[in-house]
Amino acid sequence: MPRGRYSLHDPHDHTPLADEHFQCAPGPSGWRYVSRLTAPTGADHGSVDLALDELGRPIRLELRAADWQVRGAAIDGVTWVRTDPTGIHATEGNARAHAFTGTSPAFLVAVTRLLRLTPSESATRVRLVAFTDPVLAPRTVDQSWALLNREAHATDSGPLTVDEYQVTALDTGEQHSVHISGDVVLAAPGIELEDLETPPSVFR
């Protein structure tokens, strides 16, 4: 069960946003990721609870940020309920999308579990509903993902397989790289792995 800490920052000006303390693990029904976020001041900044089924589909998502909350799942595409800080108003949403995304590294791992790419220059298109900070506003985005490279690196605890993905935002054409080993993000825009207590999980 990998556990550790990511630091999140603005990918453009590198302003620190939060630390994300996480743990995750594959299970008999898929994969689960839970985390809590703290602001640079140390204050509570929110939480993430994401569970995937064995095909990589989101069977449960619970997000919390700035007292806003989102609960969602893969139903008729993806469906969610967003609740305001007062807890009085809740709005439902639905989109013909494949999965969710957001600032948490969990969503990058989730996309790779969904797509199950093999090393190739060809890209696969995916439609995602992104929940943007600080109020978890939903926005539908289209991306393409390609697995460019897969390398095994020797470590003290055995070989570590690292996948390099190229992600393209289809509305702007902007591209960036994401490096993932198992269920841990090693490097991505706005994300730094600061601490890892146990090795990444190895998916079958």
Side-chain angles (χ1 to χ4, degrees):
M1 179 184 293
R3 66 176 67 224
R5 177 174 61 90
Y6 295 109
S7 63
L8 309 181
H9 58 266
D10 187 300
H12 302 291
D13 62 13
H14 301 287
T15 300
L17 301 177
D19 278 352
E20 184 162 344
H21 304 262
F22 73 95
Q23 61 185 50
C24 55
S29 61
W31 181 72
R32 187 178 179 200
Y33 177 102
V34 294
S35 70
R36 60 180 178 83
L37 290 91
T38 55
T41 60
D44 177 51
H45 195 66
S47 62
V48 179
D49 189 340
L50 174 65
L52 308 179
D53 68 11
E54 59 185 6
L55 298 178
R57 297 172 299 194
I59 54 176
R60 187 184 72 253
L61 170 67
E62 295 186 8
L63 281 181
R64 187 173 57 83
D67 294 326
W68 290 85
Q69 293 186 34
V70 166
R71 293 186 176 185
I75 303 171
D76 296 327
V78 292
T79 299
W80 66 91
V81 176
R82 177 173 170 262
T83 307
D84 72 310
T86 67
I88 298 174
H89 303 289
T91 55
E92 295 186 10
N94 173 265
R96 292 291 178 185
H98 300 96
F100 300 109
T101 191
T103 56
S104 173
F107 295 113
L108 299 176
V109 176
V111 171
T112 68
R113 300 307 303 149
L114 180 70
L115 298 181
R116 309 288 174 97
L117 300 177
T118 56
S120 169
E121 290 294 330
S122 62
T124 299
R125 180 172 178 154
V126 62
R127 173 163 288 182
L128 306 168
V129 172
F131 294 106
T132 55
D133 290 337
V135 295
L136 301 180
R139 182 171 61 94
T140 303
V141 298
D142 291 306
Q143 297 178 342
S144 71
W145 282 64
L147 176 52
L148 298 184
N149 191 30
R150 174 172 285 162
E151 286 188 356
H153 298 266
T155 69
D156 293 340
S157 56
L160 185 72
T161 300
V162 178
D163 291 337
E164 178 188 358
Y165 295 90
Q166 183 180 76
V167 183
T168 304
L170 295 182
D171 56 347
T172 64
E174 183 180 359
Q175 293 183 331
H176 61 266
S177 295
V178 174
H179 292 81
I180 294 177
S181 178
D183 53 0
V184 173
V185 177
L186 303 180
I191 298 169
E192 296 286 345
L193 179 64
E194 301 289 354
D195 181 47
L196 184 64
E197 295 181 13
T198 49
S201 303
V202 177
F203 293 105
R204 292 195 185 98

